Amino acid sequence: MTATAPAPSTARARATASLPRLALVLAALLATLFTVASPATAHAALTASDPKDGAVVATAPAQVTLSFSEQVAMGDDSIRVLDPQGKRVDTGELRDMCSGNTVRYGTALHTGLPNGTYTVAWQAVSADSHPISGAFTFSIGAPSATDVSLPTAQAGGGPVGIAYGIARYASYAGFAVLVGGAAFILLCWRRGAAERPLQKLVVRAWVTLTAATLAMLVLRTPYTGSGNFSDVFDLDGLRAVLETKTGASLVSRLLLLGAAALFVAVLFGVYARRVAGLGPDAPDRPEEETDGSDQADGTAEGEGTEEAYRPDDTSDLTFGLAIGGAVVSGGIAATWALSEHASTGIQPGIAMPADILHLMAVATWLGGLAALLVALHKIPGIEPSAVRRFSRVAFVSVLVLAVTGVYQSWRQLGSWSALTGTDYGQLLLLKVGLVAVLLGIAYMSRTWTARLADARVDGEAGVGAVAATVRTAGAVSRETAPGAVPESSDVSRETAPVAVPADPERAAQLARQRAARESALEKRVRDADPDRAGLRRSVLAEAAIAVILLAVTTVLTGTEPGRTVEREAGRGSTATAVPDRAVKITLPFDTGGPNGKGTVRLELDPGRVGANTLHLWSESADGTPFDLPEVKVAFTLPAKDIGPLPLAPEQAAPGHWTASGVQLPLAGDWRIDVTVRTSDIDQTTVQKTVKIG
């Protein structure tokens, strides 16, 4: 027997069969990439503190307070105040000082705190579920050295943040495919309920959404807290999460997924058996919506049907499933709307229903697209009429998506400048561009659908001829099995009786071989239709763009809205902008004693409000380094009656002194006094006023 090379169509079929798997891998990679590249920011922001960042106060304050732009969730350990040695000096009791639109929290300090620099570290959870954190310093009496390092890690980041972000992406993807796959079956192709590939798709989407929701629930404590995976076993932390709005939303989602499991069981149980009992040639809709061109397998109309089609065979159950599915999917969508961006900011009463409609439209469109892709790749019998119906459903979904999306964009951006000047606006532009590309490819898919419908009747004869050729080729190359009809027999192998081997294992092997041959035959027949192949390619391109679009949407939901960013910029920061260069001054001095003349050069970097680094060089009259016995510096802001703030720099080298963490609490005209001593009795003070901030 001579082996033959695989047909080109078979090679192409094998190549395209792996594309859905590649799309899933791409989805996972994109989820990781976007999560690493864009750590979740938040809706709320710290707007003020008392004492301010970098402030120097004359006496120890009784408490430290923080003000935020939006509601936040804080606990007793959310605000920590540390002395220069790193010891906590707060009482550990959170004070809720919110009033009206003012969101303020504080913590009391112990009495009798000594002078020095203190560090305030805080962490909270924004009303839209994202963790936020920060730290700043203030000084009592005068700045001092401190052993406390300001935290650099962002809340919600690190490996836990990556895992939580992947779970968020998986939950969105699972929701889209679950809702869209079920909608595709009920609205576009009812007989798809009996098809195993579509059943697997929807069930796996339910499993993905359920697993992702459970993962988010157990990861919530480390995600908003320490950032350590070990905290997933913290039962007290889990109990605290369940008392939050986000925890309640996740639990509600799990309960609704239980109802969704019942819906899926009915859809692929009773409903699937009913639509399967109608026969392969029964139309999905009343007779006026279909014609003979919708035959699934090329047989004549009415052939293979044992009972007449009655339009009300499944209509009642379809209506009930549609209503129940809409209620359950709307409830699941509401678990996002009630706990994320839509629940905060302006007009939440309008924003939350709009967000639910937006999520439902996205799921119906993109999830239905995934179901159509699976049907085109795995199921030979899908009719062009089902594709046309999905095209209409997708059109309505896009309209809803556009209306709700425009409203959400206005609500979250607030101005045209935020569209290009904020991360949220730039991501939104990217999302709009992807939607435009997706619509362009969808238009191409509509063209292929029209061609497929027009050529369906003529194509059936061609496909039948190809099928006959494939059967003949398969019969010629088939190895003769024990007890089977000889290859030279004139009787068709499909009609001739075949002896069943006595060996059960051999019989099972032959059954598997026959099933594989039939599957390969169906695949070849399906791939022989060029219009169907073109539609598959365009739908696959749509699915690939949809994967990227879903990743961008996931990042967008975790990004601080442009309206909030611009509002905080308008309020100003506790620190003024950094100037282009450091403050540099040169001061001549003369102590009056022997060798008492020289100059000092002082550099304050970066010369702004807050922490600075000071460098001071001393030179004698001949330009050589002047190793002075003592140098002291003081800063005074006469306009605000602040200072003098003394500073004793440390000598780094002969003629060179340095000091780090020099705190200047306010902008203004600061007077810098430099006291130099050249001997035990000879010293002088020189000064100059510089502008800070």
Side-chain angles (χ1 to χ4, degrees):
M1 182 173 58
T2 305
T4 58
S9 60
T10 303
R12 287 194 300 270
R14 290 175 180 173
T16 55
S18 62
L19 290 177
R21 298 186 182 92
L22 293 177
L24 292 176
V25 174
L26 177 62
L29 291 176
L30 283 172
T32 305
L33 172 63
F34 278 107
T35 306
V36 175
S38 300
T41 53
H43 203 158
L46 181 69
T47 58
S49 65
D50 185 17
K52 296 181 179 180
D53 182 13
V56 179
V57 295
T59 59
Q63 64 182 4
V64 171
T65 64
L66 306 177
S67 299
F68 297 90
S69 61
E70 302 285 351
Q71 287 291 338
V72 296
M74 304 188 80
D76 289 339
D77 201 42
S78 295
I79 304 176
R80 295 177 297 129
V81 184
L82 309 175
D83 66 9
Q85 288 73 42
K87 180 181 177 182
R88 287 191 65 169
V89 295
D90 61 277
T91 61
E93 180 181 354
L94 185 71
R95 293 182 174 180
D96 187 346
M97 308 169 69
C98 300
S99 176
N101 294 328
T102 301
V103 181
R104 181 181 296 121
Y105 292 89
T107 185
L109 303 181
H110 295 303
T111 58
L113 297 181
N115 291 349
T117 297
Y118 291 78
T119 302
V120 179
W122 58 271
Q123 184 165 336
V125 179
S126 176
D128 57 5
S129 78
H130 301 298
I132 54 176
S133 62
F136 61 90
T137 62
F138 71 92
S139 300
I140 301 175
S144 69
T146 177
D147 295 333
V148 180
S149 299
L150 296 181
T152 57
Q154 184 180 12
V160 169
I162 294 175
Y164 193 85
I166 293 175
R168 290 179 68 242
Y169 178 87
S171 66
Y172 279 118
F175 173 75
V177 176
L178 175 63
V179 173
F184 177 80
I185 292 171
L186 292 174
L187 300 178
C188 305
W189 196 38
R190 297 181 185 178
R191 286 200 301 277
E195 297 291 346
R196 292 289 295 171
L198 287 180
Q199 292 176 356
K200 290 180 179 179
L201 177 72
V202 174
V203 171
R204 288 171 180 173
W206 182 90
V207 172
T208 299
L209 177 55
T210 304
T213 303
L214 286 171
M216 293 172 66
L217 187 61
V218 299
L219 286 173
R220 189 68 188 171
T221 298
Y223 175 66
T224 59
S226 65
N228 298 321
F229 278 108
S230 59
D231 283 351
V232 299
F233 303 106
D234 184 0
L235 297 182
D236 291 334
L238 180 60
R239 187 179 301 109
V241 167
L242 296 178
E243 296 175 354
T244 64
K245 181 172 64 174
T246 302
S249 296
L250 292 173
V251 172
S252 299
R253 190 181 305 168
L254 289 173
L255 294 176
L256 288 167
L257 283 170
L262 179 61
F263 168 86
V264 171
V266 175
L267 179 65
F268 296 142
V270 176
Y271 188 76
R273 288 193 295 271
R274 285 196 184 182
V275 296
L278 294 178
D281 299 318
D284 286 334
R285 299 281 179 162
E287 293 293 343
E288 61 270 20
E289 295 189 20
T290 59
D291 52 32
S293 64
D294 288 346
Q295 299 304 312
D297 57 357
T299 60
E301 187 172 359
E303 189 175 321
T305 306
E306 295 183 359
E307 60 181 4
Y309 170 74
R310 296 189 304 274
D312 61 343
D313 278 340
T314 61
S315 57
D316 291 343
L317 187 54
T318 301
F319 180 78
L321 285 173
I323 296 299
V327 171
V328 173
S329 58
I332 296 175
T335 61
W336 277 286
L338 293 172
S339 62
E340 296 195 349
H341 283 169
S343 63
T344 61
I346 63 173
Q347 300 179 348
I350 301 175
M352 287 189 287
D355 194 48
I356 293 173
L357 290 175
H358 192 81
L359 287 171
M360 295 280 286
V362 170
T364 303
W365 183 22
L366 300 186
L369 191 65
L372 177 60
L373 179 63
V374 169
L376 289 172
H377 273 269
K378 300 291 186 181
I379 307 171
I382 184 172
E383 303 90 346
S385 59
V387 183
R388 288 198 302 269
R389 283 192 288 271
F390 172 72
S391 182
R392 292 193 291 268
V393 170
F395 177 75
V396 175
S397 299
V398 170
L399 287 181
V400 175
L401 186 66
V403 173
T404 55
V406 168
Y407 170 74
Q408 287 180 330
S409 300
W410 167 82
R411 180 176 176 271
Q412 301 291 5
L413 286 174
S415 68
W416 289 107
S417 59
L419 196 59
T420 56
T422 64
D423 291 341
Y424 188 93
Q426 293 166 5
L427 282 170
L428 184 61
L429 286 176
L430 178 59
K431 179 180 177 180
V432 171
L434 289 171
V435 171
V437 173
L438 196 57
L439 290 175
I441 301 175
Y443 178 80
M444 296 175 58
S445 297
R446 288 173 63 92
T447 303
W448 281 112
T449 302
R451 291 181 57 181
L452 184 64
D454 294 340
R456 185 69 174 179
V457 176
D458 295 336
E460 287 174 354
V463 171
V466 172
T469 303
V470 171
R471 290 189 183 98
T472 302
V476 171
S477 60
R478 191 176 302 149
E479 181 180 359
T480 303
V485 176
E487 298 292 342
S488 60
S489 174
D490 294 331
V491 182
S492 171
R493 188 167 294 274
E494 282 73 21
T495 59
V498 178
V500 179
D503 185 1
E505 294 184 2
R506 181 57 177 164
Q509 181 183 11
L510 291 176
R512 289 193 298 270
Q513 290 175 351
R514 283 195 297 272
R517 284 196 298 270
E518 291 173 0
S519 176
L521 176 60
E522 290 179 353
K523 205 169 190 180
R524 291 188 184 185
V525 172
R526 182 194 65 196
D527 294 339
D529 190 342
D531 295 320
R532 182 188 176 100
L535 179 60
R536 282 204 315 275
R537 288 192 296 269
S538 63
V539 172
L540 181 61
E542 288 185 70
I545 298 297
V547 167
I548 303 175
L549 177 63
L550 193 60
V552 174
T553 301
T554 304
V555 178
L556 194 63
T557 58
T559 302
E560 188 173 3
R563 185 185 290 271
T564 303
V565 173
E566 290 202 332
R567 183 173 58 195
E568 297 310 314
R571 290 179 179 176
S573 173
T574 55
T576 57
V578 179
D580 293 337
R581 60 182 183 275
V583 173
K584 299 179 181 180
I585 59 175
T586 300
L587 300 172
F589 66 85
D590 184 359
T591 61
N595 300 321
K597 294 184 178 182
T599 59
V600 290
R601 291 186 296 109
L602 185 144
E603 178 178 315
L604 194 64
D605 187 17
R608 62 169 174 83
V609 173
N612 294 267
T613 300
L614 181 140
H615 290 273
L616 188 144
W617 294 269
S618 175
E619 296 178 353
S620 60
D622 58 3
T624 58
F626 200 159
D627 196 11
L628 299 171
E630 185 179 19
V631 175
K632 294 185 293 184
V633 182
F635 297 87
T636 305
L637 184 60
K640 300 294 184 180
D641 196 23
I642 296 178
L645 305 178
L647 175 67
E650 297 180 355
Q651 188 168 12
H656 181 204
W657 290 262
T658 64
S660 60
V662 179
Q663 297 284 346
L664 300 179
L666 297 174
D669 296 326
W670 285 83
R671 189 184 74 234
I672 302 178
D673 298 297
V674 180
T675 300
V676 297
R677 183 168 60 84
T678 57
S679 67
D680 292 339
I681 59 174
D682 299 318
Q683 77 174 32
T684 188
T685 299
V686 293
Q687 59 185 225
K688 189 169 184 176
T689 299
V690 298
K691 188 172 185 61
I692 300 296

